[in-house]
Amino acid sequence: MAFSLELDQDQKDLRDWVHGFAVDVVRPAAAEWDEREETPWPVIREAAKIGLYGFESLAELFGDPSGISLQIANEELFWGDAGIGMALFGTSLAVAGIFSSGTPDQLAEWVPQCFGDEDDPQVAAFCVSEPQAGSDVAAMRTRARYDEAKDEWVISGQKAWITNGGIANVHVVVASVDPALGSRGQAAFIVPPDTPGLEGAKKIRKLGLRASHTADVFLDDVRVPGHCLLGGKEKLDARLARVREGTRSSGQAAMSTFEVSRPTVGAQALGIARAAYEYALEYAGDREAFGRPIIENQAIAFALADLRTEIEACRLLIWQASWMARNDKVFDAGQGSMSKLRAGELAVCASEKAIQVLGGAGYSREHPVERMYRDAKIYTIFEGTSEIQRLVIARAISGRQIR
């Protein structure tokens, strides 16, 4: 087959469909839900109603053999608004956690419950970060012990900065089952709806992504059935045995999920960057100073030219990493981290530059670029800070344990 970067018709239709939803539903609601700092359930219900939010649509996106359909959808939705976009796509991180560690039966049982249905949509949460264990996943203090008499896992600990934490129908919780093994002694568990002992704290008031619910989650001797261990106990026992014998293990519950999700997070950041760039471009063409549109000044035009170049290059990096992940290619140079690193920093740069192009107008809430700027910053922090991404890339290209 000849090499081509042209989207096929299904991908073009997907792009136009999600873009239309972003234009007609997301953008008109963005300022309101950012101001309210509440989960935009009416928008989630509308997305579920048209089939954009749900198990079937996500399965179709994951099923694309090129790997880029999910990123196309994320870019367009987050072009509309990142806060609402995260309220809709935050569930997909929990689904990625189930997908990366779970059995086919577990996927079939739990993934639909992450979304609910059209009449009663639900959200899900992926619980990894802790107050003392953000980038340092090995420092995780949440523990899970097996009660063999009852065939139950007992989980205790605290999770921090969890998207949909406490309001989720399904929580996917990563816990240590053998602390002596560090991150290699961890496993992921399903906490089913209404399980006693799991409580969410009050929603955190954030700089950006305000329409997305973020909270700490407390687990106080939470008991879940044995079959809620993702992958099953036999597989876990075999993996732990290999680690104890000194054999290298590829099964780290948190990191394997992040490896899958990093290009997706990059696509979200790219959507913010593109939205800021496009808004600044249009404004620069309309705004006049000294008798001519400001875009006719090289200082403005060159800045926008640089942004467009970075956006196009960043998209190709995301698509490459997505294709590699979908087709089981090894990230031999940290390509997943590259895509997230570059896109996150571009989102901050583009939204800041957009404010500068608009001048004082950009600093006011009359224009959306100030919200884009607030939303963008988290993309250099969550799911691995920019510094952690550089560490992953450096280790991959050097083959050394750089610290």
Side-chain angles (χ1 to χ4, degrees), residues 22-23 26-27 30 75-82 84 271 275 371-372:
V23 170
V26 174
R27 283 205 164 179
E75 180 183 338
E76 296 302 329
L77 187 60
F78 281 70
W79 172 91
D81 179 66
I84 292 177
R371 185 176 69 249
M372 296 172 187

Side-chain angles (χ1 to χ4, degrees), residues 4 10 15 27 43 58-59 65-66 73 76 101 104 117 125 160 162 168 176 204 222 230 266 296-297 303 309 343 387:
S4 174
D10 288 342
R15 179 194 61 196
R27 283 205 164 179
V43 180
L58 191 64
S66 74
E76 296 302 329
S101 303
D117 56 39
I162 305 304
S176 177
I204 297 169
V222 172
L230 290 175
E296 294 183 10
N297 297 306
T309 301
E387 292 76 14

Side-chain angles (χ1 to χ4, degrees), residues 227-249:
H227 69 266
C228 287
L229 167 64
L230 290 175
K233 193 170 186 303
E234 182 176 343
K235 182 178 179 181
L236 173 65
D237 289 342
R239 174 166 64 84
L240 295 180
R242 290 195 300 272
V243 174
R244 294 182 185 112
E245 292 169 359
T247 304
R248 185 175 177 84
S249 170

Side-chain angles (χ1 to χ4, degrees), residues 111-174:
V111 172
Q113 293 188 53
C114 289
F115 293 100
D117 56 39
E118 178 183 327
D119 297 323
D120 184 26
Q122 302 289 337
V123 293
F126 186 59
C127 306
V128 178
S129 295
E130 298 182 1
Q132 303 300 322
S135 298
D136 184 9
V137 177
M140 186 177 296
R141 296 181 180 179
T142 299
R143 301 288 185 258
R145 61 177 177 83
Y146 184 59
D147 184 341
E148 189 171 0
K150 296 184 178 180
D151 185 26
E152 292 179 337
W153 288 92
V154 185
I155 309 171
S156 295
Q158 177 184 352
K159 297 297 182 178
W161 302 99
I162 305 304
T163 299
N164 297 328
I167 68 169
N169 194 45
V170 173
H171 290 76
V172 179
V173 177
V174 177

Side-chain angles (χ1 to χ4, degrees), residues 30-40 203-214 365 374:
E32 174 188 353
W33 291 100
D34 176 76
E35 191 73 26
R36 291 174 61 167
E37 298 194 48
E38 297 174 0
T39 301
K203 180 183 178 182
I204 297 169
R205 299 186 62 135
K206 308 189 298 291
L207 173 70
L209 299 187
R210 293 179 176 178
S212 173
H213 183 97
T214 306
R365 294 190 182 183
R374 290 188 284 105

Side-chain angles (χ1 to χ4, degrees), residues 190-207:
I190 293 287
V191 179
D194 302 317
T195 299
L198 185 148
E199 298 289 341
K202 183 179 179 181
K203 180 183 178 182
I204 297 169
R205 299 186 62 135
K206 308 189 298 291
L207 173 70

Side-chain angles (χ1 to χ4, degrees), residues 48-100:
K49 181 179 178 182
I50 67 169
L52 179 57
Y53 181 79
F55 167 64
E56 292 81 5
S57 62
L58 191 64
E60 290 183 9
L61 295 176
F62 272 118
D64 176 7
S66 74
I68 68 173
S69 285
L70 181 62
Q71 318 318 349
I72 291 170
N74 270 276
E75 180 183 338
E76 296 302 329
L77 187 60
F78 281 70
W79 172 91
D81 179 66
I84 292 177
M86 186 58 69
L88 287 166
F89 265 92
T91 294
S92 65
L93 185 57
V95 172
I98 300 172
F99 179 80
S100 66

